[in-house]
Amino acid sequence: MLNFEFSNPTKIIFGKGQIKKIKREIATNHKVLLMYGGGSIKKNGVYAQVMDALSEHQIVEFSGVEPNPSIETLTKAIALVKEEKVDYILAVGGGSVIDGAKFVAAAVPFDGDPWDILAKGAKVRSALPISCILTLPATGTESNGNSVVTKRSTQEKLPFASPLVYPKTAILDPEVTFSLPERQVANGVVDAFVHTMEQYLTYDVNAPVQERFAESLLCTLIQEGPKALSNPTDYDVRANIMWAATMALNGLIGVGVPQDWATHAIGHEITALHGLDHAQTLAIVLPSLMHHKRDTKANKIAQYGRRVWGINDASDDVVIEQAIAKTAEFFETMGVPTKLAGYGIGPEAVDGLIAQLIKHNLTAIGEHKDITPEVARAILDDAAA
Ligand code: NZQ
Ligand code: ZN
């Protein structure tokens, strides 16, 4: 196992009817920015629950954070925070709203152009405190220090990470996910699945704790994902998906092991240029990446095939082939197409995507830093149709 340090400071409050507990998590002397998205929280009752819980707090609202949050929108939130002298942010929504809140929290005290935090890796030295109420299990952002922000004017989608932007408290009530459209349910399951794979499907460092944890998340998502589509109000199904998605990217399964993240890096470029949902891009890239990296990932893909898919009594080669096919089939079963063509994007798009990777210095990615632009091109060419 590799050396590591691990700290996850986010307090999780999980379960039915727990949103009201936000009241005791934020001191009443704070002036709170309530950030949310396009209004789903007003339709499903979450907004009313939050306003009820925070009736003794001073609240300023900022709505309209869009999927794949943009710096153009978030700049307005930054100005509002400064103008209103807000000193706490409560994000209520999916990954986009929470990521947006993290960026605003870091940008307010930042000296200089906040885009540098993403484009130049400028260090975040302080941030406003954040808490969140999660409405879409997918990204793990509710208890990690990561955020991804898009600059629409230049079609760039870039991540940053800082221990200062972990939410203080995250409330996870699975009932609020009943109102998710099927597409977002599926996106969430695929995203959490791929997060687990990016930390699992690398090479052996003798870390069975992390591997078995990862396999339990993969098996849970495979079992529960389709049930959430067929029976959307099954609380236990939603609860297990929600907890799996948090566990997939709260740092735990990634400690002490090599990590890949090439699927995400390539996927972000597809979203930036073509506007696909985050998880849709991952469903396109991962099966093809597994195919192209089947030699360096052979042991892990075979282990995954046997332990997660139960493919036995076959040679490694056959198990690997079937495990890759099963992975794509699972995404398709969830209703997420695994080829660019499934989203109306032709093979000519690959050139532009490779140019973006080069522009962002993503020319040596993956756990062995061997996914060069040429390899990425092969992965995308095969993912075309
Ligand atoms: O905006 P509203 O009206 O709230 O609607 C949202 C949005 O349209 C809707 N929604 C959310 N909860 C709902 C709901 N609709 C009905 N009922 C509910 N309970 O769902 C739509 C999508 O929301 P969004 O927040 O964009 O989805 P997701 O949670 O998948 O977040 C995606 C973003 O997170 C980033 C992605 O790149 C993307 O920008 N990621 C963040 C990560 C992190 N910080 O660790 C890791 C991930 O790999 C990912 O990159
Ligand atoms: Zn993701």
Side-chain angles (χ1 to χ4, degrees):
M1 204 188 303
L2 312 176
N3 294 350
F4 66 86
E5 294 182 14
F6 180 63
S7 162
N8 188 314
T10 301
K11 172 177 175 181
I12 305 277
I13 301 179
F14 190 98
K16 264 182 211 178
Q18 298 300 296
I19 290 176
K20 57 177 179 282
K21 291 196 177 150
I22 196 63
K23 176 188 169 102
R24 64 167 205 219
E25 298 300 309
I26 306 175
T28 42
N29 60 354
H30 282 299
K31 188 165 184 184
V32 182
L33 184 74
L34 174 64
M35 275 181 85
Y36 55 99
S40 70
I41 64 164
K42 292 206 165 160
K43 292 188 197 122
N44 61 13
V46 172
Y47 175 84
Q49 290 184 61
V50 173
M51 292 309 271
D52 202 31
L54 296 184
S55 59
E56 288 163 28
H57 288 74
Q58 228 190 319
I59 293 181
V60 177
E61 287 188 36
F62 185 85
S63 63
V65 179
E66 66 277 65
N68 306 305
S70 72
I71 189 159
E72 286 85 352
T73 298
L74 299 173
T75 300
K76 296 178 196 156
I78 295 165
L80 184 64
V81 166
K82 290 182 176 168
E83 191 185 309
E84 293 282 344
K85 302 196 170 30
V86 160
D87 60 3
Y88 201 107
I89 303 179
L90 176 64
V92 185
S96 295
V97 173
I98 300 171
D99 280 9
K102 290 176 177 180
F103 180 68
V104 172
V108 167
F110 186 77
D111 198 12
D113 177 359
W115 183 246
D116 288 352
I117 297 171
L118 299 135
K120 297 185 181 162
K123 198 169 168 55
V124 174
R125 296 186 195 283
S126 71
L128 296 183
I130 311 167
S131 282
C132 65
I133 292 170
L134 181 69
T135 63
L136 198 175
T139 61
T141 188
E142 64 279 9
S143 70
N144 70 35
N146 307 332
S147 163
V148 193
V149 174
T150 296
K151 193 175 211 172
R152 301 230 183 277
S153 58
T154 53
Q155 292 189 302
E156 286 173 286
K157 181 175 183 186
L158 300 174
F160 83 96
S162 163
L164 297 175
V165 299
Y166 273 80
K168 306 285 174 216
T169 298
I171 299 191
L172 279 58
D173 177 348
E175 279 190 328
V176 312
T177 70
F178 289 174
S179 61
L180 282 167
E182 275 189 12
R183 170 169 145 195
Q184 300 303 343
V185 175
N187 279 347
V189 168
V190 170
D191 194 19
F193 191 90
V194 178
H195 293 159
T196 309
M197 294 287 268
E198 299 255 45
Q199 299 163 89
Y200 170 82
L201 212 66
T202 57
Y203 55 89
D204 190 28
V205 292
N206 200 354
V209 172
Q210 293 88 323
E211 289 179 7
R212 294 290 190 183
F213 264 134
E215 288 156 5
S216 86
L217 298 175
L218 297 171
C219 290
T220 301
L221 292 164
I222 290 165
Q223 275 170 33
E224 306 300 306
K227 292 188 208 163
L229 295 179
S230 60
N231 190 3
T233 53
D234 184 325
Y235 178 83
D236 291 327
V237 166
R238 298 298 197 152
N240 284 309
I241 290 175
M242 203 168 204
W243 188 226
T246 299
M247 290 295 291
L249 201 50
N250 65 0
L252 190 67
I253 63 166
V255 296
V257 296
Q259 303 189 10
D260 182 339
W261 299 111
T263 296
H264 270 70
I266 300 169
H268 287 335
E269 303 300 3
I270 303 178
T271 298
L273 288 190
H274 301 282
L276 265 55
D277 293 347
H278 172 61
Q280 295 173 334
T281 70
L282 307 177
I284 294 166
V285 178
L286 182 71
S288 182
L289 182 142
M290 287 171 78
H291 174 71
H292 281 275
K293 300 312 297 174
R294 58 180 287 162
D295 290 341
T296 53
K297 290 180 184 289
N299 288 345
K300 285 296 191 71
I301 304 181
Q303 176 178 308
Y304 159 76
R306 293 195 172 98
R307 292 187 187 171
V308 174
W309 290 107
I311 308 163
N312 290 308
D313 302 326
S315 66
D316 275 9
D317 259 1
V318 172
V319 174
I320 289 169
E321 201 61 50
Q322 289 185 9
I324 297 171
K326 287 271 185 198
T327 307
E329 207 179 290
F330 171 56
F331 297 158
E332 297 276 351
T333 307
M334 291 301 297
V336 186
T338 53
K339 298 287 181 188
L340 282 167
Y343 305 89
I345 299 172
E348 68 284 354
V350 173
D351 279 347
L353 295 168
I354 299 302
Q356 288 272 101
L357 285 170
I358 294 170
K359 181 176 168 196
H360 296 136
N361 276 328
L362 297 168
T363 53
I365 52 179
E367 71 275 18
H368 296 294
K369 306 214 172 305
D370 59 356
I371 300 186
T372 58
E374 293 70 40
V375 179
R377 178 182 292 281
I379 290 169
L380 285 167
D381 281 343
D382 267 350

